[in-house]
Amino acid sequence: MTSGTPVNCSIIVESRTSVVGDVCNEILAKLEGTGFAKDDIFAVHLALEEALANAIKHGNKLDPSKKVTIDCSVDSERIEISMTDEGCGFDPDAVPDPRLGKNLYRPEGRGLFLMKSYMDVVKYNERGNGVRMVRYRERPNSEQTEREDAQG
Amino acid sequence: MVELKPRVSVQYVDKATVVTLTDEKILEDMDVQALKGSIDSVVEQAERVNLVLDFRNVRFLSSSVLGLLIRVSRKIAERKGSLRLCGIHPKIYEIFKITRLTKVFDIYEDVGSATKNLSEPG
């Protein structure tokens, strides 16, 4: 199966939560145009929404002078989204599991968990201000996913 | 039926106050804040309320809505009321299931089943 010519885009936005909808619409339109299923589009929409909201609110702390850069590549087999904010970053491993104990009753802390649940690869850079997410049209075996992880 | 702009419609069914979310997508902070304001005003109308939140129109939401529901649940519990959710689309239900919020909320198929066997509100 060939991957076809990838559709790429790069978007830079100000740190306003009102931009989230426009960014999602632009990227999801590319997915629809490439023939991805509704389940894939729902999953990417959810992960993209959560990642961008995190970058704007927690990364850039709604500072209008700081930007979020989103790079997206879609082909017939997968979508890859990379997103970088201008904040200090965070340690994703330090975010508690929202399903456990008292966390279940906390109003916040589910965004990262949903990103990991709905994407096949979610990998943060060392500083913790950039994330790379991949979703495959057909979920790969674990070996391939590990290879993707190693590539960072 | 009372219309509260812009996010919900409110009906009184038997012993329950049924709030139907009218938006298909609840995403941005402004949407969530507007929804919070609408639900809070319903909860605060009576000392104790049996609130049913009807999600039949909702096809997409973000984690901030889940947070809002936790806050609403706390507020109602403090006032000795009850909260039930219903009409949740399968894809949205999957989000509740993945996050284990199906253990936190009482979820019913539809308004009919959600409004049964409720005690008298205060």
Side-chain angles (χ1 to χ4, degrees), chain B residues 6 8 11 16 20 24 28 34-35 59 61 68 71 78 83-84 89 93 96 101 111 114-116:
Chain B
V8 301
Q11 291 181 80
T20 302
E24 190 174 310
E28 294 179 16
L35 181 60
R59 293 292 180 269
L61 51 74
L68 165 65
R71 290 190 172 92
E78 284 168 6
L83 173 64
R84 293 178 175 182
H89 190 270
Y93 186 79
F96 280 83
L101 288 175
V111 170
T115 51
K116 281 181 184 165

Side-chain angles (χ1 to χ4, degrees), chain A residues 34-106:
Chain A
T34 318
F36 273 76
K38 284 183 178 174
D39 282 354
D40 292 318
I41 293 169
F42 181 90
V44 171
H45 190 178
L46 188 62
L48 180 58
E49 160 84 26
E50 299 292 347
L52 189 49
N54 282 347
I56 290 170
K57 287 195 281 190
H58 304 303
N60 287 349
K61 301 191 186 309
L62 295 168
D63 180 344
S65 69
K66 292 182 176 177
K67 306 283 192 283
V68 179
T69 303
I70 306 115
D71 293 303
C72 170
S73 175
V74 187
D75 62 29
S76 60
E77 292 182 0
R78 67 182 210 161
I79 176 167
E80 177 171 338
I81 300 167
S82 297
M83 189 179 300
T84 307
D85 62 57
E86 296 179 20
C88 300
F90 77 111
D91 178 4
D93 294 331
V95 177
D97 188 330
R99 301 168 301 173
L100 301 180
K102 291 179 180 175
N103 299 336
L104 189 57
Y105 300 92
R106 288 180 58 205

Side-chain angles (χ1 to χ4, degrees), chain B residues 103-119:
Chain B
K103 294 181 177 180
V104 174
F105 296 109
D106 292 326
I107 300 177
Y108 293 77
E109 189 173 347
D110 52 27
V111 170
S113 55
T115 51
K116 281 181 184 165
N117 302 320
L118 285 166
S119 57

Side-chain angles (χ1 to χ4, degrees), chain A residues 39 50 57 105 107 113 118, chain B residues 29 63 67 70 74 91 94:
Chain A
D39 282 354
E50 299 292 347
K57 287 195 281 190
Y105 300 92
F113 178 78
Y118 280 86
Chain B
D29 278 2
S63 65
I70 296 275
R74 280 183 190 168
K91 280 195 171 65
E94 187 179 278

